[in-house]
Every structure is written in structure tokens, then in C-alpha cells.
Amino acid sequence: MGTANASIRKHIRRLPGEATEPTSTLVLTSHESWFVDVRILAATREDGTREALPTDGSPMSRLEWAFAGKSYTTQSKVAGGPAHTVWHHEIDSQTADPEKDEGDMYEQEDGDILECGQNVDAETGEVKKYEELWHDIGVHLVGQEKDHLSAVLMADNQDNNTKGMIVRVGNWCQGILKVGDDTTVERWQWSHGDDWQLVAKLGQELLVCGATFDRGSLELGKVISHHHLDWQVAELYSWK
């Protein structure tokens, strides 16, 4: 178990290439290390500014990659050495048989984390070394809540090949649902004391992210039925 957190990716670099960031990537990781990682391709206006993320479910071409599962981190036995993290994909928008996902995590002087590893470059099919720079954006209280909340909901219906996961960490909530080969993702953010706002949605299925917004209605093990799919509260943790 670790500290629940929300992280954005600042860049990716496939060596020996240059560092770029073509996506809006957010990873929410719960207290028990369940995570939802959603990467949405950015769209740029003529003046160089980025358009808002899609919230109406399309176009699916904007979804670069989304996956969810559990992460496992081993600390270095060498002083100052990198931690090593393995992300086990239980849901993956790209495949039903994901490859091993792991990397060495080097803490930078400013607190950012540089992830270094190797994987298959989707454009070339070649195995290449990569670097990703991650920035912790912090987790904040929501509305009248007195404690921060880490909550995880899971859905699994093998009869129709459906699997989903939703992670809420403080003022962020993100979910993925895969039905057969079709993926739906949602990203929500608490908006400065106002209300929860849908920040991004791709896909046509309905997720129950809103069930995590009411802390008082959540109980560990509770089943939430929605559109013939059962979501179970798999984690519920609060901290000051």
C-alpha cells in the first residue's frame, strides 16, 4: 500500500528522439495501488493553443491508450537508487493480452519522477527505450468533506466480456469500461467548491463515476447496479 495520488505526464521520450507530450495523460492511483491511466491525444488550434478535451464520447481516435489494474513497487536496495514499478494491466484499451509494463523510477530534484524502461514503439513495432516524466498534481478536499477519499469501484461480467474500474482520489475521478473490444473512459474533477465537472469522455457506455461523489453512500463491498452491470466498492480509505 502507498499514498493515493494523482499524476500527470509532462513528456515522453523514445530514445534517441526528443521529448514531447502529444497527450493529456492523467493517472489516478489509490491507497491500495489500484490505478486508472487515461491518455487522450491533444488537438491544437491554428493559434497553437490546445482545444478542450472531448466530453461527448467521440471521436475515439483521440484515445491513444487507457488501462487499469494494480501496481507493485520495489524500493532500491542501493541508497539513492531508483524504485522499480510493475503495472499489471487488468483492463487495456489496446489489447486483451497486454505486455509486461514496468520501469525504473528516478526521483528528480524538483520532486518529479522520471520513469525509464523499454517497450514496443506502436509506430515502428520495434522495442525501444523510453523516458516519461511524471508530476504529482496533489490531492485536495472536496466540498464539505473533512477527509481525503480514496475509492475504487470494479465491474466484471465474464458472460458478456465486460470489465471496468473507477478510481476516485480526492478531487479527481477517472474510470474505464471495456465491453468486448469497445472502450469507454471518463475523467471528472471537482471544480473549486462548485460541483463535479466532466473533463473528458470517450466511448458510448455509461460509467458510475458519480457514485463516488457521495461519500456517505459508499460502503466497502456495496454493489451498485447500473444498466445491467454490477459495480462493487473494492476500496474505501480516508485520510487527513
Side-chain angles (χ1 to χ4, degrees):
M1 296 185 185
T3 303
N5 65 83
S7 298
I8 59 171
R9 193 178 69 181
K10 297 174 75 172
H11 76 236
I12 182 170
R13 180 187 177 208
R14 293 196 178 278
L15 279 64
E18 298 295 323
T20 63
E21 185 45 79
T23 73
S24 169
T25 294
L26 174 70
V27 183
L28 300 185
T29 304
S30 77
H31 173 68
E32 296 181 7
S33 299
W34 297 103
F35 70 88
V36 175
D37 184 328
V38 176
R39 308 176 179 199
I40 300 174
L41 290 167
T44 305
R45 301 184 182 92
E46 291 184 359
D47 63 3
T49 60
R50 287 191 171 184
E51 296 179 1
L53 296 176
T55 57
D56 61 358
S58 63
M60 287 304 295
S61 58
R62 293 281 299 275
L63 182 62
E64 184 195 53
W65 197 10
F67 50 94
K70 196 164 191 177
S71 61
Y72 303 87
T73 298
T74 304
Q75 300 299 324
S76 175
K77 296 181 180 180
V78 179
H84 184 79
T85 299
V86 177
W87 295 270
H88 175 65
H89 296 204
E90 296 198 4
I91 309 168
D92 192 309
S93 66
Q94 296 183 347
T95 179
D97 186 24
E99 298 180 0
K100 192 172 184 179
D101 185 3
E102 60 183 328
D104 293 324
M105 315 298 279
Y106 295 84
E107 184 171 359
Q108 307 298 289
E109 291 184 359
D110 60 1
D112 286 350
I113 301 294
L114 185 67
E115 174 190 340
C116 299
Q118 62 180 24
N119 59 18
V120 177
D121 186 339
E123 294 183 0
T124 65
E126 299 175 352
V127 176
K128 291 185 178 181
K129 292 183 178 180
Y130 72 87
E131 297 176 351
E132 290 178 300
L133 185 63
W134 298 97
H135 176 70
D136 189 329
I137 58 176
V139 175
H140 305 291
L141 290 171
V142 167
Q144 300 302 312
E145 293 181 353
K146 296 182 180 180
D147 298 324
H148 299 83
L149 178 66
S150 173
V152 178
L153 275 59
M154 295 186 185
D156 190 356
N157 187 333
Q158 297 182 2
D159 291 340
N160 62 356
N161 196 19
T162 297
K163 202 163 190 177
M165 186 183 299
I166 294 169
V167 173
R168 179 189 157 190
V169 177
N171 58 315
W172 287 97
C173 183
Q174 193 163 247
I176 178 173
L177 178 64
K178 191 171 183 182
V179 182
D181 294 329
D182 297 328
T183 301
T184 297
V185 296
E186 290 183 7
R187 180 183 298 171
W188 293 78
Q189 182 183 18
W190 175 262
S191 180
H192 305 294
D194 181 16
D195 200 354
W196 286 93
Q197 303 291 329
L198 180 62
V199 177
K201 178 181 176 70
L202 288 170
Q204 301 305 313
E205 297 293 333
L206 297 174
L207 277 68
V208 294
C209 292
T212 70
F213 301 164
D214 182 4
R215 171 64 179 87
S217 69
L218 294 176
E219 297 178 9
L220 190 64
K222 179 179 179 179
V223 175
I224 301 165
S225 297
H226 186 71
H227 279 245
H228 310 292
L229 183 63
D230 290 340
W231 295 81
Q232 185 171 36
V233 180
E235 177 188 325
L236 197 58
Y237 176 79
S238 298
W239 77 99
K240 295 293 184 181

